[in-house]
PDB file of all heavy atoms in Angstrom:
ATOM      1  N   ALA A  81     -23.336  57.716  17.649  1.00  0.00           N
ATOM      2  CA  ALA A  81     -21.959  57.223  17.444  1.00  0.00           C
ATOM      3  C   ALA A  81     -21.765  56.915  15.961  1.00  0.00           C
ATOM      4  O   ALA A  81     -22.240  55.892  15.453  1.00  0.00           O
ATOM      5  CB  ALA A  81     -21.712  55.978  18.294  1.00  0.00           C
ATOM      6  N   LYS A  83     -19.413  55.850  14.292  1.00  0.00           N
ATOM      7  CA  LYS A  83     -18.711  54.606  13.936  1.00  0.00           C
ATOM      8  C   LYS A  83     -19.694  53.480  13.618  1.00  0.00           C
ATOM      9  O   LYS A  83     -19.366  52.558  12.899  1.00  0.00           O
ATOM     10  CB  LYS A  83     -17.738  54.190  15.040  1.00  0.00           C
ATOM     11  CG  LYS A  83     -18.393  53.912  16.372  1.00  0.00           C
ATOM     12  CD  LYS A  83     -17.404  53.356  17.378  1.00  0.00           C
ATOM     13  CE  LYS A  83     -16.536  54.420  18.014  1.00  0.00           C
ATOM     14  NZ  LYS A  83     -17.291  55.365  18.891  1.00  0.00           N
ATOM     15  N   ASP A 102     -21.147  61.574  17.966  1.00  0.00           N
ATOM     16  CA  ASP A 102     -19.961  61.141  18.706  1.00  0.00           C
ATOM     17  C   ASP A 102     -18.954  60.677  17.664  1.00  0.00           C
ATOM     18  O   ASP A 102     -19.244  59.781  16.870  1.00  0.00           O
ATOM     19  CB  ASP A 102     -20.331  60.002  19.659  1.00  0.00           C
ATOM     20  CG  ASP A 102     -19.097  59.265  20.156  1.00  0.00           C
ATOM     21  OD1 ASP A 102     -18.174  59.932  20.655  1.00  0.00           O
ATOM     22  OD2 ASP A 102     -19.046  58.026  20.033  1.00  0.00           O
ATOM     23  N   ILE A 185     -15.834  43.765  22.894  1.00  0.00           N
ATOM     24  CA  ILE A 185     -16.466  45.089  22.823  1.00  0.00           C
ATOM     25  C   ILE A 185     -16.768  45.655  24.204  1.00  0.00           C
ATOM     26  O   ILE A 185     -17.578  46.545  24.357  1.00  0.00           O
ATOM     27  CB  ILE A 185     -17.745  45.080  21.937  1.00  0.00           C
ATOM     28  CG1 ILE A 185     -18.668  43.926  22.301  1.00  0.00           C
ATOM     29  CG2 ILE A 185     -17.377  45.019  20.467  1.00  0.00           C
ATOM     30  CD1 ILE A 185     -19.966  43.908  21.506  1.00  0.00           C
ATOM     31  N   HIS A 222     -17.576  55.354  28.736  1.00  0.00           N
ATOM     32  CA  HIS A 222     -18.295  54.437  27.823  1.00  0.00           C
ATOM     33  C   HIS A 222     -17.813  53.057  28.210  1.00  0.00           C
ATOM     34  O   HIS A 222     -16.644  52.740  28.031  1.00  0.00           O
ATOM     35  CB  HIS A 222     -17.953  54.750  26.356  1.00  0.00           C
ATOM     36  CG  HIS A 222     -18.401  53.672  25.415  1.00  0.00           C
ATOM     37  ND1 HIS A 222     -19.706  53.552  24.996  1.00  0.00           N
ATOM     38  CD2 HIS A 222     -17.741  52.643  24.842  1.00  0.00           C
ATOM     39  CE1 HIS A 222     -19.816  52.495  24.199  1.00  0.00           C
ATOM     40  NE2 HIS A 222     -18.642  51.926  24.090  1.00  0.00           N
ATOM     41  N   SER A 225     -20.216  47.838  24.674  1.00  0.00           N
ATOM     42  CA  SER A 225     -21.234  47.884  23.641  1.00  0.00           C
ATOM     43  C   SER A 225     -22.077  46.610  23.693  1.00  0.00           C
ATOM     44  O   SER A 225     -21.632  45.597  24.235  1.00  0.00           O
ATOM     45  CB  SER A 225     -20.512  48.002  22.298  1.00  0.00           C
ATOM     46  OG  SER A 225     -21.384  48.415  21.297  1.00  0.00           O
ATOM     47  N   GLY A 261     -22.280  55.184  24.837  1.00  0.00           N
ATOM     48  CA  GLY A 261     -23.351  54.384  24.222  1.00  0.00           C
ATOM     49  C   GLY A 261     -23.454  53.054  24.929  1.00  0.00           C
ATOM     50  O   GLY A 261     -23.187  52.967  26.119  1.00  0.00           O
ATOM     51  N   GLY A 262     -23.838  52.025  24.195  1.00  0.00           N
ATOM     52  CA  GLY A 262     -23.736  50.688  24.759  1.00  0.00           C
ATOM     53  C   GLY A 262     -24.999  49.864  24.803  1.00  0.00           C
ATOM     54  O   GLY A 262     -24.913  48.641  24.937  1.00  0.00           O
ATOM     55  N   GLU A 296     -24.283  58.509  23.796  1.00  0.00           N
ATOM     56  CA  GLU A 296     -23.640  58.285  22.489  1.00  0.00           C
ATOM     57  C   GLU A 296     -24.087  56.951  21.897  1.00  0.00           C
ATOM     58  O   GLU A 296     -23.257  56.078  21.611  1.00  0.00           O
ATOM     59  CB  GLU A 296     -22.112  58.254  22.658  1.00  0.00           C
ATOM     60  CG  GLU A 296     -21.510  59.482  23.288  1.00  0.00           C
ATOM     61  CD  GLU A 296     -20.022  59.289  23.637  1.00  0.00           C
ATOM     62  OE1 GLU A 296     -19.515  58.157  23.571  1.00  0.00           O
ATOM     63  OE2 GLU A 296     -19.381  60.283  23.980  1.00  0.00           O
ATOM     64  N   PRO A 297     -25.381  56.755  21.712  1.00  0.00           N
ATOM     65  CA  PRO A 297     -25.816  55.455  21.195  1.00  0.00           C
ATOM     66  C   PRO A 297     -25.499  55.294  19.713  1.00  0.00           C
ATOM     67  O   PRO A 297     -25.583  56.242  18.935  1.00  0.00           O
ATOM     68  CB  PRO A 297     -27.331  55.485  21.412  1.00  0.00           C
ATOM     69  CG  PRO A 297     -27.688  56.927  21.388  1.00  0.00           C
ATOM     70  CD  PRO A 297     -26.499  57.690  21.904  1.00  0.00           C
ATOM     71  N   GLY A 298     -25.122  54.101  19.338  1.00  0.00           N
ATOM     72  CA  GLY A 298     -24.906  53.794  17.922  1.00  0.00           C
ATOM     73  C   GLY A 298     -25.824  52.654  17.520  1.00  0.00           C
ATOM     74  O   GLY A 298     -26.838  52.825  16.858  1.00  0.00           O
ATOM     75  N   ARG A 299     -25.470  51.456  18.033  1.00  0.00           N
ATOM     76  CA  ARG A 299     -26.196  50.237  17.666  1.00  0.00           C
ATOM     77  C   ARG A 299     -27.706  50.338  17.902  1.00  0.00           C
ATOM     78  O   ARG A 299     -28.492  49.920  17.057  1.00  0.00           O
ATOM     79  CB  ARG A 299     -25.640  49.095  18.516  1.00  0.00           C
ATOM     80  CG  ARG A 299     -26.099  47.726  18.089  1.00  0.00           C
ATOM     81  CD  ARG A 299     -25.636  46.668  19.107  1.00  0.00           C
ATOM     82  NE  ARG A 299     -24.292  46.848  19.540  1.00  0.00           N
ATOM     83  CZ  ARG A 299     -23.227  46.246  19.005  1.00  0.00           C
ATOM     84  NH1 ARG A 299     -23.392  45.396  18.014  1.00  0.00           N
ATOM     85  NH2 ARG A 299     -22.018  46.477  19.462  1.00  0.00           N
ATOM     86  N   ARG A 335     -19.175  41.126  11.299  1.00  0.00           N
ATOM     87  CA  ARG A 335     -19.454  40.786  12.702  1.00  0.00           C
ATOM     88  C   ARG A 335     -19.477  39.284  12.994  1.00  0.00           C
ATOM     89  O   ARG A 335     -18.902  38.842  13.989  1.00  0.00           O
ATOM     90  CB  ARG A 335     -20.755  41.443  13.168  1.00  0.00           C
ATOM     91  CG  ARG A 335     -20.775  42.969  13.003  1.00  0.00           C
ATOM     92  CD  ARG A 335     -21.945  43.626  13.713  1.00  0.00           C
ATOM     93  NE  ARG A 335     -21.787  43.570  15.147  1.00  0.00           N
ATOM     94  CZ  ARG A 335     -22.394  42.691  15.921  1.00  0.00           C
ATOM     95  NH1 ARG A 335     -23.234  41.824  15.409  1.00  0.00           N
ATOM     96  NH2 ARG A 335     -22.159  42.684  17.207  1.00  0.00           N
ATOM     97  N   TYR A 339     -16.667  38.418  15.679  1.00  0.00           N
ATOM     98  CA  TYR A 339     -17.137  38.208  17.057  1.00  0.00           C
ATOM     99  C   TYR A 339     -17.926  36.917  17.232  1.00  0.00           C
ATOM    100  O   TYR A 339     -18.444  36.662  18.318  1.00  0.00           O
ATOM    101  CB  TYR A 339     -18.050  39.363  17.497  1.00  0.00           C
ATOM    102  CG  TYR A 339     -17.523  40.740  17.197  1.00  0.00           C
ATOM    103  CD1 TYR A 339     -18.140  41.545  16.262  1.00  0.00           C
ATOM    104  CD2 TYR A 339     -16.398  41.237  17.853  1.00  0.00           C
ATOM    105  CE1 TYR A 339     -17.674  42.816  15.973  1.00  0.00           C
ATOM    106  CE2 TYR A 339     -15.919  42.502  17.574  1.00  0.00           C
ATOM    107  CZ  TYR A 339     -16.559  43.280  16.631  1.00  0.00           C
ATOM    108  OH  TYR A 339     -16.091  44.529  16.351  1.00  0.00           O
ATOM    109  N   TYR A 394     -22.481  48.793  12.550  1.00  0.00           N
ATOM    110  CA  TYR A 394     -21.193  48.111  12.399  1.00  0.00           C
ATOM    111  C   TYR A 394     -21.252  47.107  11.240  1.00  0.00           C
ATOM    112  O   TYR A 394     -20.644  46.044  11.296  1.00  0.00           O
ATOM    113  CB  TYR A 394     -20.774  47.441  13.713  1.00  0.00           C
ATOM    114  CG  TYR A 394     -20.780  48.406  14.874  1.00  0.00           C
ATOM    115  CD1 TYR A 394     -21.789  48.379  15.847  1.00  0.00           C
ATOM    116  CD2 TYR A 394     -19.809  49.394  14.955  1.00  0.00           C
ATOM    117  CE1 TYR A 394     -21.811  49.300  16.887  1.00  0.00           C
ATOM    118  CE2 TYR A 394     -19.825  50.323  15.993  1.00  0.00           C
ATOM    119  CZ  TYR A 394     -20.827  50.269  16.951  1.00  0.00           C
ATOM    120  OH  TYR A 394     -20.840  51.181  17.967  1.00  0.00           O
ATOM    121  N   MET A 398     -17.812  48.670   8.875  1.00  0.00           N
ATOM    122  CA  MET A 398     -16.669  47.770   9.055  1.00  0.00           C
ATOM    123  C   MET A 398     -16.367  46.974   7.783  1.00  0.00           C
ATOM    124  O   MET A 398     -15.557  46.030   7.817  1.00  0.00           O
ATOM    125  CB  MET A 398     -16.943  46.803  10.218  1.00  0.00           C
ATOM    126  CG  MET A 398     -16.968  47.489  11.574  1.00  0.00           C
ATOM    127  SD  MET A 398     -17.497  46.391  12.909  1.00  0.00           S
ATOM    128  CE  MET A 398     -16.103  45.282  13.026  1.00  0.00           C
TER     129      MET A 398
HETATM  130  N1  LLP B 184     -19.107  55.896  22.396  1.00  0.00           N
HETATM  131  C1  LLP B 184     -17.885  55.380  22.370  1.00  0.00           C
HETATM  132  C2  LLP B 184     -16.771  56.125  22.966  1.00  0.00           C
HETATM  133  C3  LLP B 184     -17.659  54.125  21.748  1.00  0.00           C
HETATM  134  O1  LLP B 184     -16.437  53.611  21.724  1.00  0.00           O
HETATM  135  C4  LLP B 184     -18.758  53.428  21.186  1.00  0.00           C
HETATM  136  C5  LLP B 184     -18.569  52.136  20.529  1.00  0.00           C
HETATM  137  C6  LLP B 184     -20.029  54.030  21.219  1.00  0.00           C
HETATM  138  C7  LLP B 184     -20.174  55.254  21.857  1.00  0.00           C
HETATM  139  C8  LLP B 184     -21.249  53.393  20.623  1.00  0.00           C
HETATM  140  O2  LLP B 184     -21.605  52.216  21.251  1.00  0.00           O
HETATM  141  P1  LLP B 184     -22.987  51.476  20.894  1.00  0.00           P
HETATM  142  O3  LLP B 184     -24.122  52.320  21.377  1.00  0.00           O
HETATM  143  O4  LLP B 184     -23.040  51.282  19.432  1.00  0.00           O
HETATM  144  O5  LLP B 184     -22.901  50.192  21.634  1.00  0.00           O
HETATM  145  N2  LLP B 184     -17.736  46.717  16.208  1.00  0.00           N
HETATM  146  C9  LLP B 184     -18.423  46.232  17.387  1.00  0.00           C
HETATM  147  C10 LLP B 184     -18.830  47.361  18.292  1.00  0.00           C
HETATM  148  C11 LLP B 184     -17.684  48.218  18.748  1.00  0.00           C
HETATM  149  C12 LLP B 184     -18.139  49.393  19.555  1.00  0.00           C
HETATM  150  C13 LLP B 184     -17.053  50.383  19.748  1.00  0.00           C
HETATM  151  N3  LLP B 184     -17.432  51.554  20.460  1.00  0.00           N
HETATM  152  C14 LLP B 184     -19.610  45.408  16.956  1.00  0.00           C
HETATM  153  O6  LLP B 184     -19.824  45.236  15.752  1.00  0.00           O
HETATM  154  O7  LLP B 184     -20.336  44.874  17.794  1.00  0.00           O
END
Side-chain angles (χ1 to χ4, degrees):
K83 61 174 80 67
D102 164 52
I185 48 177
H222 167 79
S225 196
E296 303 171 350
R299 191 187 317 266
R335 304 191 70 260
Y339 313 112
Y394 307 105
M398 291 173 70

